[in-house]
Amino acid sequence: MWAYILKRLLLMIPTLLGVLLVTFVVIQFVPGGPVEQMVAQLQGRSTGGEGAAAAGAAYRGRQGVDAKQIEEIKALYGFDKPAHERFWRMLVSFARFDLGRSFFHHKDVWELVKEKLPVSISLGLWTFFLTYLISVPLGIAKAVRAGSRFDTVTSILVLVGYAIPGFVLGVLLLVLFGGGSFLAWFPLRGLTSPNWEELSLWGKVVDYLWHIALPVTASVLGSFAVVTMLTKNAFLEEIRKQYVLTARAKGLEERRVLWKHVFRNALIPIVTGFPAAFIGAFFTGSLLIETLFSLDGLGLLSYESVIRRDYPVVLGTLYLFTLIGLVTKLISDLCYVWVDPRVKFD
């Protein structure tokens, strides 16, 4: 196993380099970069909103900005160096886990990620735990009652929930319960109230749950179908195997057969995906949900960074999330051995 782990760790290096190289090359050909945006600002043209693309389309050479200023702007953003040298410097910085400094926020990328993490963690962890706590028992119940009315009705409900986009459900929840056209039971924006610091501990908990209720509902509903149906199909496959028939023929109780014999084997595909889902919950940012409920998280940061061509944030977060994804994938594969010792990597 150690040889397998070492090989996987070594394979992460070219994978990570390939992802960064492709993204870096694409960036070189995207119009409306930070230099063009700064030039547009000096010429009195707006680069906000429709922003970077408009700036790139409008930029036609220097147009009144002298060559010295152009060179100073390029030096400010590091574009006075050739592309290969900038790429190499970026790799050296990333090797030291220095993700760079944002062009527009004027903060280190690490600081920006840490600032946005609470929102993404709140959405991600609640979505993760609610999905597994509801979907796994529901999937088991559906497998045991396969073909019954309960199975049919719950399948329809979870598939309808899966078919409704999260942002559409979010709009509906705001209209119905967020002070839209009907009830004003929940707040429209933010994770906490303005006077949150003045509240007691219990008051802070209640206020936080009050604010997070609608965003989490909009995020979690579409996640039920995948885990529920995966659990149901895994249990059905195990229930139909010969060893289950043998256990029943020996007179074992159905509950004992289900929980002692079927449960462990059926959970293999679910447990092995658990690490990726858990780690992903910390770094998952939903742009539409965050925008809809005015939550300043990683989804909104990523979108703004791409629109404003904030390359250090784009590449820094890409490096961080790709590295986390690769390590998590390795942990998920190792979980196969932990759950089922019969699995051999050789």
Side-chain angles (χ1 to χ4, degrees):
M1 182 186 294
W2 291 110
Y4 173 81
I5 295 175
L6 178 61
K7 183 171 75 172
R8 286 290 299 272
L9 290 174
L10 292 176
L11 284 173
M12 288 182 188
I13 298 175
T15 304
L16 193 59
L17 288 176
V19 170
L20 292 174
L21 177 61
V22 170
T23 307
F24 185 85
V25 170
V26 170
I27 281 176
Q28 306 310 305
F29 298 98
V30 175
V35 174
E36 288 87 345
Q37 292 190 50
M38 180 60 73
V39 170
Q41 289 180 9
L42 292 175
Q43 294 172 342
R45 299 198 304 270
S46 172
T47 60
E50 293 154 354
Y59 179 63
R60 297 289 185 274
R62 298 170 185 172
Q63 294 185 344
V65 180
D66 60 54
K68 184 178 179 181
Q69 284 182 303
I70 294 288
E71 295 304 320
E72 289 175 354
I73 294 172
K74 287 183 177 180
L76 175 66
Y77 293 120
F79 285 91
D80 56 331
K81 304 290 192 300
H84 67 276
E85 184 176 341
R86 285 187 279 122
F87 182 71
W88 173 250
R89 289 189 175 188
M90 181 188 72
L91 293 181
V92 172
S93 297
F94 286 174
R96 301 195 303 263
F97 283 93
D98 177 8
L99 302 184
R101 188 174 179 83
S102 170
F103 289 155
F104 297 98
H105 294 277
H106 305 294
K107 294 181 180 179
D108 289 339
V109 176
W110 272 112
E111 292 182 16
L112 284 173
V113 171
K114 287 188 289 186
E115 285 179 7
K116 312 299 182 182
L117 266 181
V119 170
S120 297
I121 289 176
S122 294
L123 286 175
L125 283 184
W126 279 111
T127 301
F128 169 79
F129 284 121
L130 287 175
T131 298
Y132 274 83
L133 287 175
I134 295 174
S135 296
V136 172
L138 180 59
I140 296 173
K142 286 171 64 62
V144 173
R145 299 172 178 84
S148 66
R149 180 177 297 179
F150 170 81
D151 182 30
T152 304
V153 171
T154 52
S155 294
I156 293 173
L157 291 177
V158 296
L159 291 175
V160 168
Y162 181 73
I164 300 175
F167 71 93
V168 173
L169 179 61
V171 172
L172 179 63
L173 292 174
L174 284 176
V175 171
L176 293 178
F177 306 111
S181 303
F182 296 92
L183 304 171
W185 289 353
F186 296 95
L188 288 172
R189 58 179 60 86
L191 283 180
T192 56
S193 299
N195 63 334
W196 192 76
E197 294 292 341
E198 304 171 6
L199 300 175
S200 63
L201 177 60
W202 176 247
K204 289 180 178 179
V205 172
V206 172
D207 182 75
Y208 167 74
L209 294 176
W210 182 48
H211 280 76
I212 204 67
L214 294 187
V216 168
T217 302
S219 300
V220 77
L221 195 63
S223 306
F224 286 149
V226 175
V227 180
T228 299
M229 301 311 290
L230 176 64
T231 305
K232 174 191 172 182
N233 293 335
F235 268 79
L236 279 178
E237 183 180 354
E238 292 298 322
I239 287 173
R240 293 165 180 167
K241 287 187 176 179
Q242 186 63 42
Y243 74 90
V244 176
L245 298 176
T246 303
R248 286 171 174 168
K250 289 181 177 180
L252 293 180
E253 295 180 359
E254 187 66 24
R255 183 183 297 273
R256 183 178 176 86
V257 173
L258 180 64
W259 295 108
K260 185 174 182 180
H261 296 276
V262 176
F263 188 75
R264 182 175 181 179
N265 291 329
L267 281 186
I268 289 177
I270 301 170
V271 172
T272 51
F274 192 91
F278 182 75
I279 298 299
F282 286 86
F283 299 98
T284 300
S286 174
L287 168 64
L288 294 174
I289 298 297
E290 290 177 11
T291 303
L292 188 61
F293 292 95
S294 300
L295 302 174
D296 190 12
L298 289 174
L300 195 58
L301 173 66
S302 301
Y303 174 74
E304 290 179 346
S305 300
V306 172
I307 292 298
R308 302 178 71 177
R309 305 296 191 265
D310 198 346
Y311 298 146
V313 178
V314 173
L315 291 166
T317 54
L318 176 70
Y319 167 75
L320 177 63
F321 299 154
T322 303
L323 183 61
I324 292 172
L326 291 171
V327 173
T328 304
K329 181 61 178 174
L330 174 59
I331 295 173
S332 297
D333 291 343
L334 295 178
C335 283
Y336 277 101
V337 176
W338 176 66
V339 176
D340 187 356
R342 295 171 298 177
V343 174
K344 303 296 180 183
F345 288 119
D346 55 355

